[in-house]
Amino acid sequence: MKKSSGGAGDKKRPRRSSAPDPASDVPPRKQAVKKDVFQVFAEKVRDHKELVSRWAVLQETRVEYFRGKDFVNFLKNNPELKDILESDRNLDTEEIANILLGKNLLVRCDRVVKTVRPGKKKLSTWPAHLEIFPEQVFSENDAFFAWTFAKRHPLWQTLLSFFWPVLTLAICLFPVYPHRCKLLILYSCAGILFLILSVLLIRGAIFGALYIILGKRIWFFPNILAEEATLGELFRFWPKKDEEEKPKWTTRIFYAGVAVLFILLLRHHAPDEAARARYHKRVSNIIDDVLEWSPTLALSGMMDKQQNVANATGSAETSKTGAEHAADGDDENSFMEQYNNTEEVIEDVDDDKQHD
């Protein structure tokens, strides 16, 4: 009975399959990890040039953000980007944006300053400071969305990061450059600096003249001093539309008077020809010292200085020795004179005694 029960138990045991499992034979490291399609979609959208975006400060961090209505118009004009989502390509724009918000690829923001500044008619189109909105839901009406992932750097930025240390080393080695290279670098830097200052000065003069005469606030190169502007926006020439109220006549007359007083003060305190000649000569001497410096001259100057110091030390020792010898000779002469005087006194005393 025991044998029969044992045999029945053995028959009930399931047999292990000898067929290999194809999934178990593949090492875990070699299994391809499929990237999230929404992550790929977000990277493609962010790198696309047609999506208008700006940079702002969000909780002490610079972020790139866009407006909700621009995102809707962008997907309407570029529907082929939805093919990246594969099975979710038929989702509408609002659903796609909500999924991006749920995956923390986006964060909805709101402007910090919610009141119109004095002198303006409406709020800024692209605020410079943002804060996180409480409800993380997509909206087109005055809604801003910031990217939360790090943007991939292009190849030229990577090469530029390796170039900066080389440039720093080249700047440090400027004193040992040949004379022609020094002249080229000096005049190039001076020309660039002069160009920047001239553009800023002419820009301010045009703005002041149009403000006083026409009451218009027109800034050419409007983004040249902006911190959050991109390289393309930085050199945009045409000014923005003036959305502020026209200034009053009293304000314009006041600034005109201030400008006239400033010009008169500059003219009154301007240096004369002699002072300008002195300044020019002083600056020219400084530049010549920088351009004509070389390691050979520096080393020869140091050697000459050491030799001069040695010669001065030797001459001082010689003069000291001579002075000591002269002092000894004077002492001997004075001793002999005193001895002779003493002898003369003794002889005079003896003569007096004999006469007595």
Side-chain angles (χ1 to χ4, degrees):
M1 294 296 292
K2 291 181 180 179
K3 291 182 179 180
S4 62
S5 62
D10 293 339
K11 290 180 180 178
K12 290 181 181 179
R13 293 177 182 174
R15 293 184 179 181
R16 295 180 179 178
S17 176
S18 60
D21 188 4
S24 62
D25 292 343
V26 180
R29 294 181 180 178
K30 293 185 179 180
Q31 290 181 355
V33 180
K34 189 175 181 180
K35 197 172 185 179
D36 186 11
V37 292
F38 285 93
Q39 175 75 31
V40 179
F41 174 79
E43 293 176 356
K44 291 290 184 181
V45 172
R46 186 175 184 180
D47 293 337
H48 208 284
K49 296 181 179 180
E50 293 186 12
L51 180 62
V52 182
S53 62
R54 294 290 189 276
W55 288 87
V57 178
L58 175 64
Q59 295 180 350
E60 299 181 357
T61 305
R62 295 187 74 249
V63 294
E64 185 180 7
Y65 73 100
F66 58 88
R67 299 182 297 181
K69 59 181 181 180
D70 292 335
F71 185 72
V72 174
N73 295 331
F74 171 75
L75 289 183
K76 285 182 181 179
N77 298 328
N78 300 276
E80 68 277 1
L81 291 175
K82 291 185 177 181
D83 296 337
I84 301 174
L85 301 177
E86 297 176 355
S87 60
D88 298 325
R89 64 172 62 93
N90 295 324
L91 296 176
D92 58 3
T93 304
E94 185 175 355
E95 293 175 344
I96 293 173
N98 287 328
I99 293 175
L100 293 176
L101 289 169
K103 291 180 176 292
N104 293 326
L105 297 173
L106 285 178
V107 60
R108 183 176 175 179
C109 306
D110 194 10
R111 61 178 77 242
V112 175
V113 181
K114 300 178 178 62
T115 57
V116 181
R117 290 187 299 175
K120 288 199 172 184
K121 299 179 181 179
K122 60 180 182 179
L123 294 172
S124 176
T125 306
W126 297 97
H129 296 274
L130 299 173
E131 61 183 4
I132 297 178
F133 194 73
E135 298 178 2
Q136 294 295 312
V137 181
F138 182 77
S139 176
E140 298 184 38
N141 301 323
D142 198 27
F144 306 98
F145 300 89
W147 301 105
T148 58
F149 59 90
K151 188 177 181 181
R152 294 180 301 175
H153 297 287
L155 180 60
W156 67 271
Q157 290 186 359
T158 305
L159 296 177
L160 189 62
S161 63
F162 288 103
F163 176 72
W164 281 121
V166 179
L167 180 61
T168 305
L169 181 62
I171 293 173
C172 296
L173 295 177
F174 174 79
V176 299
Y177 286 173
H179 187 73
R180 292 184 178 179
C181 294
K182 289 181 181 179
L183 287 177
L184 178 63
I185 295 172
L186 176 65
Y187 289 126
S188 300
C189 295
I192 294 173
L193 182 61
F194 179 76
L195 177 63
I196 294 173
L197 295 178
S198 300
V199 169
L200 294 178
L201 183 61
I202 295 172
R203 176 174 176 263
I206 293 174
F207 174 83
L210 295 178
Y211 182 84
I212 294 172
I213 298 172
L214 302 178
K216 299 289 185 180
R217 300 176 180 87
I218 299 176
W219 285 107
F220 292 98
F221 295 104
N223 300 323
I224 197 170
L225 298 177
E227 296 180 357
E228 67 276 1
T230 60
L231 188 62
E233 297 171 352
L234 192 66
F235 296 101
R236 192 180 69 179
F237 175 77
W238 197 248
K240 296 180 180 179
K241 185 179 179 181
D242 187 12
E243 299 177 352
E244 300 182 9
E245 296 179 357
K246 191 174 182 179
K248 299 179 181 179
W249 273 102
T250 55
T251 306
R252 293 159 60 183
I253 293 174
F254 171 75
Y255 284 113
V258 171
V260 171
L261 288 176
F262 181 72
I263 294 173
L264 291 177
L265 285 174
L266 290 179
R267 184 177 179 181
H268 178 71
H269 294 284
D272 55 1
E273 291 294 334
R276 284 197 291 267
R278 290 196 302 270
Y279 297 151
H280 181 268
K281 185 177 181 180
R282 188 181 302 173
V283 173
S284 299
N285 292 335
I286 295 173
I287 294 175
D288 291 339
D289 291 340
V290 173
L291 293 178
E292 294 176 359
W293 187 92
S294 66
T296 306
L297 293 176
L299 292 176
S300 62
M302 292 175 64
M303 296 299 294
D304 294 340
K305 186 176 180 181
Q306 291 179 357
Q307 188 174 0
N308 294 332
V309 170
N311 294 335
T313 306
S315 61
E317 291 178 354
T318 305
S319 61
K320 184 178 180 181
T321 305
E324 291 177 354
H325 287 299
D328 294 339
D330 294 339
D331 293 339
E332 291 179 357
N333 293 330
S334 61
F335 178 77
M336 293 298 296
E337 289 178 357
Q338 291 178 0
Y339 179 76
N340 293 329
N341 293 331
T342 304
E343 287 184 350
E344 291 178 357
V345 171
I346 293 171
E347 289 179 356
D348 293 338
V349 172
D350 293 338
D351 292 337
D352 294 338
K353 289 180 178 181
Q354 289 177 3
H355 286 294
D356 293 338

